[in-house]
Amino acid sequence: MKTFKCNCKDEQILFFESSHCIACQKTVGIDDEFSAVEPYEFDESSGLYYKQSTPQSHYKKCDNNAQYGACNGMVNMDSFMPKTDSEEVLCFACKFNETIPDLSINEHIPLWTKMETAKRRALYTLKALGVPLNNLVQDPQSGLSFDFITDRSVIDHFATKLEGQDNVFTGLDCGHITINLAEADDVARSQTKLAMGERYRTLLGHFRHELGHYYFDQLIVGCPKKHALCKQYFGDDSLDYQLAIDAHYKNGAPANWHENFISEYATMHPFEDWAETWAHYMHIIDTLETAKNFSITGSTTGNEFDIEDAEELRLPQNSYYFYAQTSIDSLLDSWMEYSVILNSLNRSMGLADAYPFVLTQSVRAKLSFIHHAIHNRLNLMPELNSNTSVTED
C-alpha cells in the first residue's frame, strides 16, 4: 500500500486509513475511484467538499464516515442519484455492505471500524488488479456483498452465546461473505488462534481468504478449460467438502504438508488450498508495494515491462506488482528477499516473524497459477502430467 501527501505547506504524509491531515487538520479521504487518499476543501456556503484540482465537483462524506468514523470514504454528489430522499450516502467500499453490526451497542462500533479498515484494504488491492468488482446493485446475480454480524456478547470478548441468535460462521455463500464481528476483537481472535494451533490469523487475512473463494467462482468455475487446469495444480475440488472437513479436524494435516501447501488449513480441500494461496498472493503484493513505496524492497530484476504502459492499463501509478506483465518469478524472488528483512525487523522488536511461511516450488507454482488467473493469462501455465515438471514464466 502506497502513502500519499497532503497539499498543505508541510506536505504531510497521508496513509490509506487517514481521515484528516495531522499537520493542517484538513479533511482527507478516498473517493469512488478508490485509487488515492486526497485532501478536501470545505465550502461553507454549500456544506460540501471539493478538491483543489477539481473545484467544480462536489463531495460529501460517506454516512458511515460522517456519523461513525468507520471509513474515510468521500462521495461525489454530482453523480449521486438517490432513489428516495432517505437513501444513504455511501462510498465505494460501504456499498458492498449488506448487513452491519448492531450499532446500538456502542462496543460494536470500534470493532466494526476495524472490519471496514481491513475490507477497504482488501478491496483496494482487488480494484488495482482489475478483477471484476461489483456490488449487488451493479450485479444482482454475482455481485459481492458482506455481512458483519455476531452470535456472541462483546462484553466478555465474545465468550457468551447470545440468546435466540443463530450461530454465525465466517464464510462465503453465493457471493455473500459473512465475517463474525468477533474476528475484530484481539482477545477473541487470539484465543481462537491458540485453540486452532494457527501460526497466523488476522482480520485482513480472513477477508482475503473469503474473497479467494469468491474469485474462484468468478475466474475459474465458468470456464471448463481453466477449471480442468486448476485441478491439476490444486487437486480435484469435486471431492466431498464436508467429509474433507471432518477428516481434517479428526486427523490433522499430513506430516509433510509444508512440501506442497502454504498452510495446514490448505491441506483440507482444494477449495481451501486455492483460498489460502489467494490470500497469500494478496498479502505478498500488498506488502511489496508498501516496501517499494519506501524504497526498501528487494531486487526486481528480470522485469522487461515498460512501466510507462501504466496509464494505458489504468492501474495505479508505480504499482509494479499489480501489472500482468510483471514476472511472477521476479515477484516471488523479491518477496523472499524482503520477507527475511521483515522477519528480522520483527525479531529486533521482540515480535514473532511477520511471515512464518516457506514458499516451496510446489507453492510457488500455485502462486503462479493465481497470478496468471487474475490477469487472464493461464495460457502461460503448463499442463501437468507425469512427464511435465512445474515451471513458471
Side-chain angles (χ1 to χ4, degrees):
M1 180 66 68
K2 299 191 297 295
T3 54
F4 310 92
K5 284 187 178 181
C6 185
N7 57 6
C8 64
K9 64 178 182 179
D10 294 320
E11 295 187 330
Q12 180 65 43
I13 290 178
L14 305 175
F15 297 94
F16 185 68
E17 296 80 10
S18 295
S19 59
H20 70 280
C21 172
I22 62 173
C24 70
Q25 300 304 311
K26 189 177 298 183
T27 293
V28 302
I30 188 166
D31 67 13
D32 285 351
E33 293 298 317
F34 216 63
S35 60
V37 174
E38 304 172 89
Y40 289 79
E41 310 291 337
F42 184 67
D43 181 4
E44 294 186 2
S45 62
S46 66
L48 299 174
Y49 293 86
Y50 65 93
K51 301 177 189 178
Q52 281 189 354
S53 58
T54 55
Q56 70 277 9
S57 298
H58 300 90
Y59 293 82
K60 187 176 181 180
K61 287 184 178 181
C62 171
D63 284 351
N64 292 335
N65 182 359
Q67 297 175 27
Y68 302 102
C71 72
N72 60 350
M74 303 294 289
V75 180
N76 189 329
M77 298 305 292
D78 299 335
S79 58
F80 179 66
M81 298 179 183
K83 297 178 181 178
T84 65
D85 293 339
S86 60
E87 183 173 340
E88 291 182 293
V89 178
L90 297 178
C91 65
F92 170 82
C94 288
K95 288 178 181 177
F96 287 91
N97 293 346
E98 188 75 7
T99 308
I100 61 174
D102 181 356
L103 301 184
S104 67
I105 301 174
N106 289 332
E107 293 84 355
H108 282 179
I109 296 175
L111 299 180
W112 175 46
T113 300
K114 288 184 180 180
M115 303 279 276
E116 292 296 331
T117 298
K119 184 192 73 180
R120 290 199 309 281
R121 184 171 283 262
L123 293 179
Y124 172 89
T125 306
L126 295 171
K127 198 168 191 301
L129 286 167
V131 293
L133 186 57
N134 297 310
N135 57 48
L136 286 177
V137 174
Q138 296 168 316
D139 185 353
Q141 296 299 318
S142 57
L144 175 67
S145 60
F146 294 93
D147 268 355
F148 302 143
I149 52 180
T150 188
D151 56 353
R152 295 181 177 272
S153 172
V154 66
I155 302 302
D156 58 2
H157 299 290
F158 300 93
T160 302
K161 186 78 165 60
L162 295 173
E163 291 186 13
Q165 176 66 54
D166 294 336
N167 291 331
V168 174
F169 298 102
T170 294
L172 172 78
D173 182 18
C174 298
H176 195 70
I177 292 175
T178 299
I179 297 185
N180 196 315
L181 187 63
E183 293 296 341
D185 183 274
D186 293 339
V187 173
R189 190 177 62 257
S190 295
Q191 290 174 341
T192 303
K193 176 182 176 181
L194 291 173
M196 300 293 288
E198 297 174 338
R199 295 185 295 169
Y200 184 89
R201 188 183 184 96
T202 67
L203 186 54
L204 180 57
H206 277 302
F207 276 94
R208 287 176 168 160
H209 177 98
E210 298 306 330
L211 284 164
H213 286 303
Y214 174 75
Y215 280 102
F216 181 81
D217 293 338
Q218 295 294 305
L219 304 178
I220 301 299
V221 172
C223 178
K225 185 175 181 180
K226 291 179 180 179
H227 199 174
L229 183 61
C230 184
K231 290 180 180 180
Q232 294 183 34
Y233 284 85
F234 291 91
D236 184 4
D237 52 65
S238 66
L239 297 174
D240 188 284
Y241 185 75
Q242 188 58 52
L243 289 178
I245 292 177
D246 295 341
H248 177 79
Y249 285 114
K250 179 182 179 180
N251 304 319
N256 64 340
W257 67 265
H258 60 277
E259 296 177 6
N260 296 300
F261 298 91
I262 192 65
S263 69
E264 293 180 73
Y265 193 75
T267 69
M268 186 169 70
H269 189 276
F271 285 158
E272 300 305 336
D273 192 11
W274 164 279
E276 284 285 273
T277 307
W278 174 282
H280 277 258
Y281 180 84
M282 296 297 153
H283 291 330
I284 288 169
I285 61 173
D286 189 10
T287 307
L288 283 175
E289 186 195 24
T290 304
K292 188 174 186 295
N293 178 76
F294 292 102
S295 302
I296 57 175
T297 189
S299 170
T300 56
T301 57
N303 174 41
E304 298 177 355
F305 173 51
D306 185 355
I307 213 72
E308 293 180 358
D309 288 343
E311 184 175 348
E312 179 182 346
L313 293 171
R314 297 181 181 179
L315 293 174
Q317 186 178 6
N318 297 326
S319 297
Y320 168 84
Y321 299 103
F322 293 149
Y323 295 130
Q325 290 86 344
T326 298
S327 161
I328 184 62
D329 277 335
S330 172
L331 191 155
L332 294 178
D333 288 346
S334 293
W335 175 243
M336 294 313 299
E337 291 180 30
Y338 182 67
S339 64
V340 172
I341 300 172
L342 187 63
N343 289 340
S344 296
L345 289 172
N346 264 31
R347 293 181 186 187
S348 295
M349 293 293 294
L351 300 173
D353 286 352
Y355 195 76
F357 303 93
V358 177
L359 303 187
T360 64
Q361 186 62 26
S362 178
V363 171
R364 284 175 66 106
K366 293 175 184 179
L367 286 164
S368 180
F369 191 97
I370 297 287
H371 176 80
H372 289 102
I374 286 171
H375 296 296
N376 197 25
R377 293 157 65 94
L378 283 176
N379 59 300
L380 299 179
M381 294 297 297
E383 292 193 15
L384 302 181
N385 54 54
S386 58
N387 299 315
T388 303
S389 61
V390 174
T391 60
E392 302 174 20
D393 71 331

